[in-house]
Amino acid sequence: MNFTRWSARLPGTQRRAAARTEQTASPDRRGEGSVPAARAEQLTDDPPSVPAVDELRVREVLDRVPSLVALVHGPDHRIAYVNDAYTTAFGVRPLGERAREALPELDALGLFPLLDQVQRSGKPRTVKSRKAPDGRCYTFTCTPVAQGDGKGGSDGRGVLVFATDVTDHAEAAERLRASERRQRETAVTLQRSLLPQELEEPDDLRVAATYHPGGTEAAVGGDWYDVITLGGGRTALVIGDVMGRGVRAAAVMGQLRTAVRAYARLDLPPHEVLQLLDGLAAEIDANQIATCAYAVHDPNEGKLVYASAGHLPILVRDENGAVLRADEPTGPPLGTGGWMHSSGSIPLGPGSTAVLYTDGLVERRDADLDEGIAALENALAGATGTPQVVCDRLVRSAGVTPDHDDDVAVLVLQHPARTGPESELFRNAALELLGGVEAAPRARAFASGVLTSWRFPADLHDLGVLATSELVANSLQHGTPPMRLRLRRTDRRLIIEVTDGDDHLPRRRRAEPGDESGRGIAIVATIASNWGCRRTPGGGKAVWCEFALPRTQAT
């Protein structure tokens, strides 16, 4: 193959060639006494001049470049030329041979389909950072060239393969990716370690949760969830999302989750918990913003009381399959300050399922957020089964994959409708405490009859009656009407609760030998498995205690 008949289609190539032809053909018009230029150069002491690029043949230029260059022609890509750098990298290649046999390195790199495409389309193509058999990484540019016939026409097509060694860049990029992977793994490990390893199991709810970190190209965020048993049959449920990415977001999430658990133990209304959390978020990092929804379930009320700090609405599917959205009230995100949060409620009766989630489940770059929430509502309407089944189904319906570009946290809770033998393990009984001091003996008799009908053993029966007596006596002495006694049994515990209209919370104290009062709460705290008190919405308080049932009794 005559290499000089090939020319790359580079701007100005033909123009420079024509100019050189004119200069060669023009005779020297100087006078007879003048010295030819070549002769004059020989008479000086100056070194020979370096030829300009335009004066070099194409082959000389390509032989000098450090990049790998090969020229193939014809439909079967026969080798027309390889430069010195190519030969150094892969060895001598025979001219005129088919490239598929003579250039196995291009075959290993999968470049032959690209050569065909370039030859057909007449347009250059580039593939970046391909690792060759010699262990180096190259970026290949394939450019169409034409075989000239010397008269401006062409009688064939070829492809000029130009490979630039980018090994150093590829290794630097790989080191950067490895560093990012390590940082992400650290953040994911931190994130997972700060999430609950096992969810608490409330008596009256079934719960399941899942967390999916963003894909390998996305830094982990600060999504979290939690389930907190408050005592007295009540359960707090939390979902939150710290804005930002990486270890910092995960660390802030851990601090907020710990704070929520501490505030939840105070058994405050949801909006008061968020109010405390808002101040703490500003102290942790004034530039860090987080959203959070905090809800409390009381099985005696049949609803979910919640407050939201800029978080997405809770969804509830009732026993008939209708989905409700808890839109209001919603305040600004945590850390913004200057806002008084408030609580709302949404029904959560037997047979209902509620879903708390972060924006990664419903937010997409190419769709409106409301569309994502509406799609989640439709998926929830048809979701049945256990909370874990519902959780998995919602994640699948949202198209969450390992390559998802955002973190996803989902918390699903169900208030099961119990029938048959299971319903016998969940009972309620209540008595209005009327008539002053004479309400005490009525309360003891009522408790004794209820506990007998529930077939509790004698020792648990007697402890339950004693605790009832002390709590009622304390309310009669220090509380105000209306007063109410409520007994509840679950499959795990007996709960006794007394409510009244006074919001002063009792505390356990040491009674001196001569004191005539102050021993009631101490007695309850001694004989019960757990006890506590809280203020009730609208004023007043509730004081409760609970007894763990023996395994045989619970089952």
Side-chain angles (χ1 to χ4, degrees):
M1 185 66 197
N2 184 359
F3 183 83
T4 59
R5 300 178 65 202
W6 291 85
S7 62
R9 292 180 176 176
L10 302 176
T13 301
Q14 295 85 351
R15 185 176 63 252
R16 290 193 296 270
R20 286 196 298 270
T21 302
E22 278 186 21
Q23 292 172 2
T24 303
S26 299
D28 192 349
R29 299 301 182 185
R30 296 177 183 175
E32 296 179 357
S34 61
V35 180
R39 181 63 177 169
E41 291 176 1
Q42 294 176 0
L43 296 178
T44 64
D45 294 331
D46 296 334
S49 61
V50 177
V53 173
D54 286 352
E55 297 174 354
L56 294 175
R57 297 172 60 206
V58 174
R59 179 163 186 162
E60 292 181 55
V61 174
L62 296 180
D63 278 340
R64 295 183 184 186
V65 298
S67 301
L68 280 59
V69 180
L71 177 67
V72 298
H73 70 94
D76 51 357
H77 305 305
R78 294 187 177 274
I79 303 175
Y81 166 77
V82 292
N83 72 344
D84 293 342
Y86 197 105
T87 301
T88 302
F90 298 115
V92 177
R93 295 293 183 260
L95 301 183
E97 296 293 328
R98 285 165 49 92
R100 287 190 181 273
E101 290 80 23
L103 301 178
E105 59 277 1
L106 298 188
D107 193 20
L109 292 165
L111 288 184
F112 284 113
L114 188 67
L115 296 179
D116 294 336
Q117 182 182 4
V118 170
Q119 201 168 53
R120 287 193 306 269
S121 67
K123 297 180 180 179
R125 294 288 186 272
T126 299
V127 292
K128 296 182 178 180
S129 193
R130 293 284 181 90
K131 191 169 185 178
D134 66 347
R136 308 290 292 178
C137 288
Y138 299 92
T139 289
F140 288 86
T141 298
C142 300
T143 304
V145 294
Q147 183 182 21
D149 59 4
K151 299 179 181 179
S154 64
D155 55 10
R157 289 186 177 274
V159 178
L160 184 70
V161 180
F162 191 91
T164 304
D165 190 336
V166 294
T167 304
D168 292 342
H169 296 283
E171 291 177 349
E174 179 56 34
R175 288 193 296 270
L176 178 60
R177 286 192 294 268
S179 174
E180 291 174 345
R181 284 195 298 268
R182 288 192 297 270
Q183 292 181 12
R184 184 178 183 278
E185 289 169 1
T186 299
V188 170
T189 301
L190 175 62
Q191 172 86 342
R192 291 194 181 280
S193 68
L194 294 174
L195 291 173
Q197 304 305 302
E198 291 185 6
L199 293 177
E200 296 184 21
E201 299 181 2
D203 292 3
D204 294 277
L205 295 177
R206 296 172 183 166
V207 295
T210 187
Y211 169 72
H212 294 268
T216 55
E217 298 300 322
V220 67
D223 294 15
W224 93 91
Y225 56 82
D226 212 345
V227 177
I228 309 166
T229 53
L230 303 176
R234 291 156 51 83
T235 305
L237 305 123
V238 192
I239 192 86
D241 185 1
V242 177
M243 304 303 174
R245 300 284 183 179
V247 174
R248 177 59 181 169
V252 171
M253 177 275 288
Q255 295 177 76
L256 293 178
R257 176 177 175 256
T258 301
V260 169
R261 294 190 70 86
Y263 296 148
R265 299 304 179 192
L266 300 175
D267 211 346
L268 300 171
H271 66 276
E272 292 189 24
V273 171
L274 291 190
Q275 208 70 50
L276 293 172
L277 205 60
D278 182 48
L280 178 66
E283 293 179 9
I284 292 174
D285 188 342
N287 298 318
Q288 196 78 56
I289 295 177
T291 64
C292 180
Y294 181 90
V296 174
H297 175 256
D298 188 332
N300 297 300
E301 297 177 355
K303 62 183 179 181
L304 204 61
V305 180
Y306 68 91
S308 175
H311 204 77
L312 299 172
I314 300 171
L315 302 181
V316 175
R317 176 185 184 273
D318 65 19
E319 66 276 12
N320 300 317
V323 177
L324 305 177
R325 183 189 298 193
D327 282 326
E328 298 293 343
T330 300
L334 301 174
T336 55
W339 180 269
M340 294 300 296
H341 292 275
S342 57
S343 296
S345 65
I346 187 170
L348 189 74
S352 297
T353 300
V355 179
L356 293 78
Y357 52 96
T358 56
D359 57 3
L361 186 67
V362 295
E363 191 173 35
R364 299 292 180 270
R365 299 180 186 274
D366 56 350
D368 187 77
L369 181 60
D370 284 336
E371 295 178 12
I373 298 176
L376 181 62
E377 289 178 342
N378 292 334
L380 178 59
T384 58
T386 67
Q388 189 61 58
V389 170
V390 173
C391 199
D392 294 340
R393 180 170 179 177
L394 296 181
V395 170
R396 287 196 304 270
S397 69
V400 177
T401 66
D403 296 327
H404 199 61
D405 62 357
D406 195 5
D407 290 25
V408 174
V410 184
L411 178 62
V412 175
L413 57 134
Q414 289 180 345
H415 185 190
R418 296 182 171 90
T419 58
E422 188 183 27
S423 65
E424 296 296 319
L425 300 178
F426 292 82
R427 295 289 192 88
N428 288 280
L431 174 69
E432 301 295 331
L433 299 175
L434 306 173
V437 294
E438 62 269 21
R442 289 202 304 271
R444 285 192 293 271
F446 175 79
S448 178
V450 169
L451 299 181
T452 299
S453 69
W454 289 349
R455 299 179 181 179
F456 285 161
D459 57 343
L460 184 56
H461 170 279
D462 294 343
L463 290 175
V465 172
L466 176 58
T468 299
S469 179
E470 295 298 334
L471 291 181
V472 170
N474 184 79
S475 183
L476 290 173
Q477 182 175 359
H478 301 289
T480 59
M483 301 178 184
R484 192 179 192 217
L485 167 66
R486 185 161 58 192
L487 303 178
R488 177 172 176 78
R489 73 152 293 168
T490 71
D491 58 346
R492 304 177 202 171
R493 72 198 80 233
L494 165 67
I495 302 168
I496 303 171
E497 182 179 81
V498 176
T499 60
D500 64 52
D502 183 78
D503 62 1
H504 177 74
L505 300 180
R507 59 185 178 87
R508 183 178 180 181
R509 63 186 179 88
R510 182 186 298 275
E512 298 299 330
D515 291 346
E516 296 182 358
S517 62
R519 293 181 175 84
I521 296 298
I523 292 173
V524 170
T526 301
I527 64 176
S529 304
N530 193 15
W531 81 280
C533 56
R534 71 178 186 280
R535 291 186 173 87
T536 55
K541 66 177 179 295
V543 184
W544 56 267
C545 69
E546 57 186 34
F547 296 86
L549 300 184
R551 180 174 295 274
T552 54
Q553 178 68 26
T555 57

